[in-house]
Amino acid sequence: MQGIKNATVDMYEYLPVPFGLVRYGVAPDHPEVKNCQDKFTEVASSPNFNFIGNIKVGQDVSLKTLANHYDAVLFAYGASKDRKLGIPGEDTLQGIYAARDFVGWYNGLPEFSSLNPRLDESDTAVIIGQGNVAMDIARTLLKGVDTLRHTDMSEQALEALSKSRVKRVHVVGRRGPMQIACTIKEVRELMNLPSVAFEPIDRKLLPPDLSKLPRTAKRMTKLLVEGSDTPVAEAENAWSLDFLLSPVRFIPGNHINPLQLRVIDFQRMQFATAEDKFDPAAKVQRASEEEFTSMSTSLAFRSIGYQSEPLPGMSEHGIGFDEKRGVIINDGYGRLVSPSEDQDKPRIMPGLYCAGWVKRGPTGVIANTMEDSFATAEAIIADWSDKAPFLGGGEGWDSIKTDIVRTGEKTVSWEDWLKIDAAEKSRGQLLGKEREKLTSPQDMLRVLERTSLTESLSYDDTGLHKKLHCAFHVIHAGIYYGPNSLKTNLCLEGKRMMYDLCEKEGIPYWNCKKWILAQNSKQHEQLEKTHQFAKSIGVPIYFISLDQARQREPDVRVNNAVLESPSTGIIDSHTYMSYLESDFQSKGGDLACHTKVDAIEPLSSGALGYNIHTTSASGQSAAITSEKLVNSAGLAAVPLSNSILPPERHMKPYYAKGSYYSYASAHPRPKTLIYPAPTTGAAGLGTHLTMDMTGAIRFGPDVEWVDDPNNLSVNEERLSAALDEIEAYLPSINREKVMLDYAGIRPKLGKGSAVAQGKGDGFSDFYIKKEEGFEGFVNLLGIESPGLTSSLAIAEMTLKASTALLKHIKSESDRKEAAATVKSLVKTDHDSKEYDASEAAPIWLVLTTKKHITDKARLKPGKIPLPYPLNTSPTTTVCLITCDPQRQVKDTIAHPSFPTDLSSRITKVIGISKLKARYQPYESKRQLWNEHAIFLADARVITMLPRILGKIFYKSNKKPVPVSLEPYRQPNGEGKKLMPKAVTEKSKTIAPPPQVAKEIGKALGCALVHLSPSNNVAVRIGLSFFTAQQVANNVEAVVTGLTEKFVPKGWRNVRGVHIKGPNTMALPIWLADELWLDMEDVLEDGEADRMKAMAGKEGQKKKGRELDKEGDEDMERRPKRDGREEVKVERKKKRKLEDADMGKEIKERREKLREQKRADREEIHGKTKAAAVM
């Protein structure tokens, strides 16, 4: 545009956003590299520049169309795929990722937003390639995730990195250190990472005299020789540069997961005999002796370069593309050329140019690409000046966009990009960083669909939610609802709990304060009443002067008085709800969305529970029986209550629809919530001003009484009245920018006043009550404003009511049983040998380890035989889940040689495929769970079941117990056990009936061991009617089985063993002598020394913080090898002496505690048998 007068440039981008490689390829912790965006933005601001985003050239617009409407077309679309190694396993195994995919994923590139790399699978990562991108990946894996949270890395990636287990990274290359492709800056950053060590390289690979090297090579080799600041012995993480290795194959894991990467085989390389190994251009070849080596890992990255692809239609247009080099054929200056008879003088294609990676290949950094682009621009200017032939010309985008719009494609202009940019920065502001990128084109376009951009943004448990109306709600102060009302009491307590929760869990909120305005003396009187009531209940509130109000909010009109509520704020309600949902599910709760409650049937007025009949969105019906029922159905709560309670206790629901109005202008924009003075008898608080976390404002709600709770349309006729109310306190509002937004409905119990003002005002309080005559039934009716603020307090109140009910039910049951003159024949006699385990309380053994159990082999579900089994009742039903085909197992159980007493208990046999297909809906899983008391599963499919059966099973006592249905292995002549021939040919062969019966009987007599990656193991080992001796025998068997098979290092790793009931405290059976010592007994060789060194270092830091500063003058400085200085503390010995007395005292206390524990154990040993049955 500078070199050619009046030139206009249209830039087509396939994404809705600009900046390409700068946005999606530069590492998030390199923001300085992205400064070139400022220059791009400056160019884009020119009236002669058009950005056309969300257009795929070759698909949405053809190359022929472009050639017909422009003088010149420049291709600068970069490299869209990565180069492959071409070795076995590369495309079939899990855990192998392309560098381009991984970098795009953590940078938020929509194409890879669902990549989800499994960084928690391995503690070792292997990166094949030694370029800048490889170094970026290594640094990202090893750098502390907290240091990346302020960058523009996607929240999804930060979450995954926070769970990463990677501690060791190998960066592998085919050549040597003198041929390494990365920059000094990348290596230096890795060397300087805190607590990360660099493993020294073989000095033979470097020249003996570094001083003779060129400056750049000298700096790099010096950096490699000096290594990292952190010694390997003291480092938490480590990395290495592995040279002269070429990958030859990726090897899968064992039969448990045959598609998971486990090992990479490398062939050793050597420098060609005629080459100098210190020459930067030296080539390598396979070692003469065909040497191989391997690296064990479940995580590998391929980083050997990118490659461009031709656009659709290029070949038809005569544009040549070099597939091998991945570039458009050009003359080196950016002019496209086509073959001619004279190969030395290829024919220039008029008006067609290329720049960047598609011109010269994917090499160099951004600065190289910019220089290359400048060269192409100079070629275009020179051709124009020389009047060289160009394309036919035309009106460019102005003549093309009509056809594009007609197809329905949504294009994005530069002004649209600025709106997306603002939305991303608003998202980032909530997270304390520059921006949070939108990771799908749909989300980007959705931002443009709304006039109020940031109103639609809210968080979910994986990052940022896509779109949600009214994502921010007010945290009320509790000043409107009168003394001793539930609304007042619960709002005050809920407000405190909500602010505490937001701080603790990082839920976005803003304590922005609220103003209540009085425009006349009558309204001032109302404010005085509100002020007096707020002070009487301890809520902070005060009047501010009109001058102060005008200084703080100059756009707000106030004629009489301003009452400020400093404890009012706003909360990101969607993030809050997502947190509650996640917390509920993590504690074992099941959520059935899109499920309609058709009817609720009280059983004996609730004494036997409630049958809840439901219908799913797919039309499937189900019934759930619950001991307790909490009606918190919002708009449907009153009709639901009326369906249970007798007619004389029915209530009438009232539906107050409130309309909200968005504001599509940057002015005015107050920073405080603005409410008019409350009006006597009004059902709402007036059309007030609220805002979101970015300061974008909206107005509402008004009150419109409706009969239909589904009537959510915004009434356009009410806009004029709302504008009049708004102008009363915000006179500079642009009425044309206030638009209909959305509506919501509040469930009310009357049409009275929203503010409690005394008798006759019709004020309706919350209705939270344990309903008389219906045991276990709690009603929550009329939960409207301030329902959100009160929600945590309401939950606490409901919990107390439910607990009291359950306690009453149980005590009443015991009372009736004691008073009964006729004993129930159905009730189980605990002294009888025939008992129903489902009616007995379980006894659990809890074993705590010193070190977390993370070995996948040990985490696989297992079982331990019990001397006294839990499942001996002949009436207990069993469901057997098998591998496919299920018919083999059914035939085996139906075989005459299979014991009938066992086959009669197996009421269902289902294969894994049918289980997947038939039991996807929540209701069907619940039904399956209810139909059977015990679930057994073929050991070959046991690891697939958690994903299929979900929390309904795995948060209960009905987790499937593994059972082996494979034929026994037969010993050969060498003593090894081999599978029978039939099994090796068909791996899903089922064992003979006697063996299957034996294995099922064994499984029924075992305790299930289902470990999680933690240091706690809980196993059900008894029932409340077991004798003390039975419990003791089971305890011994389970502890022995756990320490021998499931706990690494056995007893050396055991911290304690307890037993407990469902409502009892844990009773210790065995405790380690020193729970905080002996860690080295659990660690592998070498790891203990490192842990001791770290512990000692940390202890010195703690002691140093407790010492006063009197020793500062004794510190001296000495130079480090890089010229910097560090402080060396010379008073180390003196500090040790000062701490000697403290150490002695600690030692005495520990010895005393040891003696006390020995005495406790002796006492416990004598009481365990009696205590176990309490």
Side-chain angles (χ1 to χ4, degrees):
M1 292 188 295
Q2 291 178 344
I4 301 176
K5 187 177 181 180
N6 298 325
T8 298
V9 175
D10 295 341
M11 186 175 81
Y12 291 85
E13 166 64 48
Y14 89 99
L15 285 172
V17 296
F19 304 136
L21 181 65
V22 178
R23 176 180 169 96
Y24 292 120
V26 175
D29 57 345
H30 284 173
E32 70 284 353
V33 180
K34 301 183 182 184
N35 290 337
C36 58
Q37 290 182 166
D38 298 337
K39 181 62 178 178
F40 300 159
T41 301
E42 181 184 336
V43 172
S45 64
S46 169
N48 291 344
F49 178 88
N50 291 317
F51 172 77
I52 304 118
N54 202 40
I55 290 292
K56 296 178 178 63
V57 174
Q59 297 181 26
D60 301 330
V61 59
S62 68
L63 296 181
K64 182 178 179 180
T65 300
L66 294 179
N68 290 336
H69 291 86
Y70 288 92
D71 293 300
V73 175
L74 169 67
F75 298 100
Y77 56 85
S80 58
K81 70 175 185 178
D82 68 294
R83 295 184 182 275
K84 291 193 173 183
L85 296 163
I87 61 176
E90 182 177 16
D91 296 322
T92 58
L93 297 184
Q94 300 170 1
I96 304 169
Y97 303 97
R100 179 178 181 271
D101 300 4
F102 186 70
V103 171
W105 168 75
Y106 67 61
N107 272 321
L109 182 60
E111 182 180 353
F112 304 114
S113 60
S114 60
L115 183 66
N116 191 27
R118 296 302 304 272
L119 305 181
D120 56 349
E121 289 284 345
S122 176
D123 60 0
T124 300
V126 176
I127 304 172
I128 300 172
Q130 294 180 331
N132 283 343
V133 176
M135 298 301 170
D136 283 342
I137 294 174
R139 188 176 66 257
T140 300
L141 293 174
L142 294 172
K143 196 170 188 176
V145 68
D146 289 337
T147 64
L148 295 170
R149 294 194 185 278
H150 69 283
T151 70
D152 64 355
M153 180 177 285
S154 71
E155 285 298 297
Q156 180 185 12
L158 291 172
E159 177 68 17
L161 287 169
S162 69
K163 300 175 181 177
S164 171
R165 291 179 49 219
V166 175
K167 299 291 184 183
R168 177 76 168 79
V169 176
H170 295 272
V171 185
V172 184
R174 295 179 70 253
R175 300 194 293 173
M178 300 307 296
Q179 295 82 36
I180 195 168
C182 61
T183 62
I184 297 171
K185 178 179 181 293
E186 295 283 348
V187 176
R188 183 185 295 114
E189 284 187 282
L190 274 165
M191 294 294 189
N192 291 337
L193 288 180
S195 300
V196 177
F198 174 68
E199 295 190 359
I201 64 175
D202 186 354
R203 191 67 173 79
K204 296 177 182 178
L205 296 174
L206 298 174
D209 187 0
L210 303 182
S211 62
K212 295 181 180 181
L213 293 172
R215 181 173 179 272
T216 301
K218 185 191 301 182
R219 291 172 61 200
M220 175 65 84
T221 52
K222 182 180 179 182
L223 190 60
L224 295 177
V225 170
E226 291 180 349
S228 58
D229 293 338
T230 305
V232 175
E234 299 179 11
E236 298 177 5
N237 302 330
W239 72 289
S240 63
L241 288 168
D242 301 87
F243 298 107
L244 296 174
L245 294 176
S246 178
V248 292
R249 69 182 63 86
F250 294 105
I251 300 175
N254 53 31
H255 66 281
I256 297 176
N257 192 351
L259 295 180
Q260 176 64 49
L261 170 68
R262 283 290 176 263
V263 175
I264 307 175
D265 279 353
F266 293 91
Q267 184 172 13
R268 295 196 182 276
M269 309 296 287
Q270 65 183 21
F271 289 98
T273 55
E275 301 288 346
D276 180 2
K277 65 181 179 180
F278 304 136
D279 182 357
K283 296 182 179 180
V284 294
Q285 61 187 19
R286 294 178 180 178
S288 57
E289 298 181 2
E290 294 286 320
E291 296 182 38
F292 293 89
T293 187
S294 300
M295 293 185 185
S296 297
T297 183
S298 300
L299 183 64
F301 299 91
R302 177 183 65 238
S303 183
I304 58 172
Y306 296 167
Q307 189 169 8
S308 300
E309 294 181 293
L311 293 177
M314 276 189 169
S315 59
E316 292 84 346
H317 204 72
I319 298 175
F321 192 88
D322 187 335
E323 295 284 354
K324 185 176 181 181
R325 294 176 55 214
V327 298
I328 297 174
I329 299 174
N330 65 93
D331 66 350
Y333 297 96
R335 299 180 183 91
L336 269 60
V337 298
S338 62
S340 65
E341 295 180 0
D342 186 356
Q343 296 184 359
D344 295 332
K345 293 183 179 180
R347 184 174 65 86
I348 301 295
M349 303 183 70
L352 297 178
Y353 301 86
C354 60
W357 284 3
V358 78
K359 169 188 173 184
R360 60 184 173 83
T363 59
V365 295
I366 289 179
N368 304 121
T369 304
M370 292 178 67
E371 291 175 3
D372 175 84
S373 300
F374 295 153
T376 299
E378 291 173 359
I380 297 174
I381 295 170
D383 290 348
W384 188 265
S385 300
D386 295 341
K387 301 187 182 302
F390 277 78
L391 299 173
E395 299 299 323
W397 172 240
D398 289 339
S399 58
I400 294 176
K401 63 182 177 183
T402 304
D403 294 335
I404 297 294
V405 171
R406 191 179 297 118
T407 64
E409 294 294 334
K410 170 64 178 175
T411 61
V412 177
S413 67
W414 187 259
E415 290 72 23
D416 291 335
W417 150 245
L418 294 178
K419 295 175 183 178
I420 296 172
D421 181 49
E424 290 184 339
K425 289 179 177 178
S426 298
R427 292 155 59 96
Q429 181 183 4
L430 301 178
L431 296 168
K433 58 192 202 181
E434 179 188 359
R435 74 171 63 242
E436 173 64 19
K437 296 173 187 170
L438 294 159
T439 57
S440 79
Q442 293 76 19
D443 287 351
M444 298 170 186
L445 298 178
R446 197 172 285 124
V447 166
L448 304 179
E449 293 173 1
R450 292 181 54 85
T451 54
S452 181
L453 301 177
T454 55
E455 236 174 24
S456 64
L457 305 177
S458 63
Y459 290 75
D460 66 12
D461 57 346
T462 62
L464 290 181
H465 194 55
K466 295 180 178 177
K467 177 179 178 182
L468 185 74
H469 287 300
C470 196
F472 300 93
H473 282 80
V474 175
I475 302 176
H476 288 284
I479 58 178
Y480 292 127
Y481 315 113
N484 302 319
S485 70
L486 283 177
K487 285 188 175 181
T488 294
N489 295 334
L490 293 174
C491 185
L492 295 181
E493 178 63 13
K495 175 181 64 176
R496 179 193 64 78
M497 297 173 70
M498 183 165 285
Y499 278 130
D500 289 346
L501 181 70
C502 289
E503 284 290 338
K504 179 181 177 182
E505 300 297 338
I507 299 172
Y509 77 98
W510 180 14
N511 186 200
C512 56
K513 305 179 182 180
K514 177 174 81 173
W515 283 2
I516 310 173
L517 309 182
Q519 307 292 2
N520 52 51
S521 57
K522 185 176 181 180
Q523 291 181 349
H524 193 166
E525 292 177 5
Q526 190 63 50
L527 260 61
E528 287 286 358
K529 293 179 181 178
T530 303
H531 179 251
Q532 291 300 320
F533 172 68
K535 293 180 69 68
S536 70
I537 59 175
V539 175
I541 197 167
Y542 43 77
F543 285 99
I544 63 174
S545 69
L546 296 183
D547 289 339
Q548 184 181 359
R550 294 186 183 105
Q551 287 178 357
R552 286 174 51 184
E553 298 288 2
D555 295 317
V556 175
R557 174 195 287 164
V558 54
N559 298 325
N560 195 289
V562 179
L563 186 62
E564 180 167 88
S565 169
S567 62
T568 303
I570 58 175
I571 182 175
D572 181 347
S573 52
H574 188 72
T575 301
Y576 171 61
M577 292 301 298
S578 295
Y579 164 78
L580 294 180
E581 177 187 355
S582 176
D583 186 56
F584 168 68
Q585 292 179 331
S586 69
K587 289 179 168 59
D590 290 315
L591 182 64
C593 295
H594 307 293
T595 302
K596 178 185 176 184
V597 175
D598 298 317
I600 298 179
E601 176 189 0
L603 304 177
S604 300
S605 297
L608 300 179
Y610 296 83
N611 273 346
I612 305 167
H613 300 273
T614 65
T615 302
S616 68
S618 62
Q620 186 169 0
S621 299
I624 304 169
T625 301
S626 175
E627 188 179 49
K628 293 181 288 185
L629 175 66
V630 177
N631 176 18
S632 180
L635 294 172
V638 170
L640 200 60
S641 174
N642 291 346
S643 71
I644 300 173
L645 299 179
E648 61 271 17
R649 292 164 65 177
H650 287 187
M651 293 186 180
K652 181 180 179 181
Y654 295 86
Y655 304 114
K657 181 167 74 172
S659 296
Y660 284 87
Y661 309 92
S662 62
Y663 187 55
S665 177
H667 181 82
R669 187 164 288 192
K671 297 179 177 61
T672 311
L673 303 179
I674 307 297
Y675 281 59
T679 302
T680 302
L685 298 176
T687 303
H688 43 268
L689 180 152
T690 60
M691 63 189 71
D692 63 23
M693 304 294 278
T694 66
I697 63 175
R698 69 166 181 258
F699 305 97
D702 54 12
V703 175
E704 178 185 0
W705 296 104
V706 295
D707 297 326
D708 181 6
N710 298 311
N711 179 6
L712 293 172
S713 60
V714 183
N715 191 343
E716 188 172 358
E717 295 178 357
R718 304 183 67 85
L719 176 59
S720 178
L723 287 171
D724 293 339
E725 291 185 51
I726 296 168
E727 278 189 330
Y729 58 80
L730 206 62
S732 60
I733 191 78
N734 185 341
R735 293 176 70 103
E736 295 181 355
K737 297 292 185 179
V738 179
M739 287 171 276
L740 305 177
D741 197 358
Y742 67 96
I745 294 182
R746 287 162 283 174
K748 288 180 172 284
L749 299 179
K751 291 188 176 182
S753 174
V755 179
Q757 298 171 326
K759 293 183 179 180
D761 58 14
F763 171 77
S764 296
D765 200 1
F766 291 149
Y767 182 97
I768 303 176
K769 185 177 180 181
K770 298 178 292 181
E771 295 292 357
E772 290 186 19
F774 291 84
E775 296 186 16
F777 181 30
V778 179
N779 244 335
L780 278 69
L781 310 179
I783 308 300
E784 47 135 355
S785 181
L788 181 75
T789 308
S790 307
S791 55
L792 294 174
I794 291 174
E796 190 172 78
M797 178 180 179
T798 305
L799 177 62
K800 291 178 180 178
S802 302
T803 303
L805 271 173
L806 186 58
K807 183 178 180 181
H808 170 74
I809 292 170
K810 291 181 178 180
S811 63
E812 186 67 13
S813 176
D814 292 342
R815 184 190 64 78
K816 289 179 180 179
E817 181 183 354
T821 57
V822 180
K823 188 174 181 180
S824 172
L825 298 178
V826 179
K827 184 168 180 63
T828 301
D829 182 359
H830 287 181
D831 293 328
S832 171
K833 291 183 180 180
E834 295 184 1
Y835 49 78
D836 185 357
S838 63
E839 294 184 5
I843 298 174
W844 295 86
L845 179 138
V846 181
L847 185 143
T848 309
T849 59
K850 297 177 182 176
K851 187 178 181 182
H852 282 212
I853 301 174
T854 57
D855 181 5
K856 279 195 170 183
R858 300 177 192 272
L859 294 178
K860 185 178 179 181
K863 56 185 183 288
I864 297 174
L866 292 176
Y868 296 93
L870 309 181
N871 305 308
T872 58
S873 173
T875 61
T876 305
T877 59
V878 177
C879 174
L880 178 59
I881 302 170
T882 76
C883 62
D884 295 323
Q886 67 182 26
R887 174 50 56 189
Q888 292 188 48
V889 182
K890 287 185 175 181
D891 292 343
T892 299
I893 294 175
H895 195 274
S897 62
F898 196 96
T900 55
D901 59 338
L902 186 57
S903 62
S904 62
R905 295 178 61 185
I906 304 174
T907 54
K908 191 177 192 68
V909 176
I910 184 168
I912 190 70
S913 297
K914 289 193 176 181
L915 183 73
K916 287 182 184 177
R918 190 178 299 172
Y919 294 97
Q920 287 294 326
Y922 170 89
E923 294 84 1
S924 60
K925 292 179 186 176
R926 174 63 72 179
Q927 185 176 356
L928 178 66
W929 188 91
N930 284 326
E931 289 174 349
H932 305 281
I934 302 170
F935 290 84
L936 303 180
D938 192 325
R940 291 170 287 186
V941 300
I942 191 75
T943 56
M944 302 166 63
L945 296 182
R947 186 173 297 177
I948 299 172
L949 298 178
K951 296 179 181 178
I952 295 174
F953 284 76
Y954 283 85
K955 290 289 185 180
S956 73
N957 291 336
K958 293 187 181 181
K959 301 183 186 74
V961 179
V963 57
S964 176
L965 301 181
E966 289 184 281
Y968 293 146
R969 296 174 182 267
Q970 302 298 327
N972 64 0
E974 299 176 358
K976 296 182 179 179
K977 290 187 176 182
L978 302 176
M979 293 296 293
K981 183 177 181 181
V983 179
T984 57
E985 294 174 353
K986 189 175 183 180
S987 61
K988 296 179 181 178
T989 301
I990 303 301
Q995 180 187 331
V996 172
K998 179 181 178 181
E999 291 297 323
I1000 292 176
K1002 186 192 301 183
L1004 291 174
C1006 289
L1008 172 65
V1009 180
H1010 193 102
L1011 307 183
S1012 60
S1014 66
N1015 63 345
N1016 282 302
V1017 181
V1019 180
R1020 194 158 60 112
I1021 51 90
L1023 299 168
S1024 56
F1025 48 77
F1026 275 24
T1027 66
Q1029 187 61 50
Q1030 289 173 330
V1031 173
N1033 290 349
N1034 281 0
V1035 166
E1036 182 178 358
V1038 171
V1039 171
T1040 301
L1042 286 173
T1043 53
E1044 289 180 354
K1045 183 177 179 181
F1046 293 91
V1047 178
K1049 297 289 185 177
W1051 276 103
R1052 289 183 295 166
N1053 192 14
V1054 177
R1055 188 182 292 271
V1057 180
H1058 298 73
I1059 59 172
K1060 70 182 297 297
N1063 299 305
T1064 66
M1065 295 183 64
L1067 175 69
I1069 295 177
W1070 184 88
L1071 296 173
D1073 286 342
E1074 288 288 348
L1075 301 185
W1076 55 85
L1077 295 179
D1078 304 327
M1079 182 62 75
E1080 62 269 21
D1081 290 343
V1082 188
L1083 302 178
E1084 299 294 341
D1085 293 340
E1087 190 179 2
D1089 296 335
R1090 183 174 65 83
M1091 293 293 288
K1092 284 182 178 179
M1094 292 175 64
K1097 188 174 181 181
E1098 182 62 24
Q1100 291 177 13
K1101 290 181 181 178
K1102 291 180 179 179
K1103 294 175 183 177
R1105 286 194 292 267
E1106 295 172 357
L1107 296 173
D1108 58 25
K1109 300 178 181 178
E1110 64 181 14
D1112 289 350
E1113 66 274 5
D1114 293 330
M1115 295 181 181
E1116 68 179 23
R1117 300 180 181 271
R1118 65 178 177 85
K1120 287 183 72 175
R1121 57 187 177 206
D1122 59 359
R1124 294 177 296 175
E1125 291 185 346
E1126 66 176 0
V1127 177
K1128 181 177 180 182
V1129 181
E1130 296 293 333
R1131 303 187 63 210
K1132 183 176 179 182
K1133 294 182 179 179
K1134 181 178 179 181
R1135 289 180 176 175
K1136 286 186 176 180
L1137 291 174
E1138 291 173 343
D1139 290 331
D1141 292 339
M1142 182 181 295
K1144 183 178 179 181
E1145 183 179 353
I1146 292 173
K1147 185 176 180 181
E1148 292 174 353
R1149 290 182 180 178
R1150 287 181 175 176
E1151 189 60 34
K1152 185 176 180 180
L1153 185 57
R1154 285 194 186 97
E1155 294 296 328
Q1156 182 64 45
K1157 286 181 179 178
R1158 292 191 187 99
D1160 290 344
R1161 282 198 301 275
E1162 293 174 0
E1163 182 179 358
I1164 290 170
H1165 183 72
K1167 295 181 178 180
T1168 298
K1169 295 180 181 180
V1173 295
M1174 292 176 64

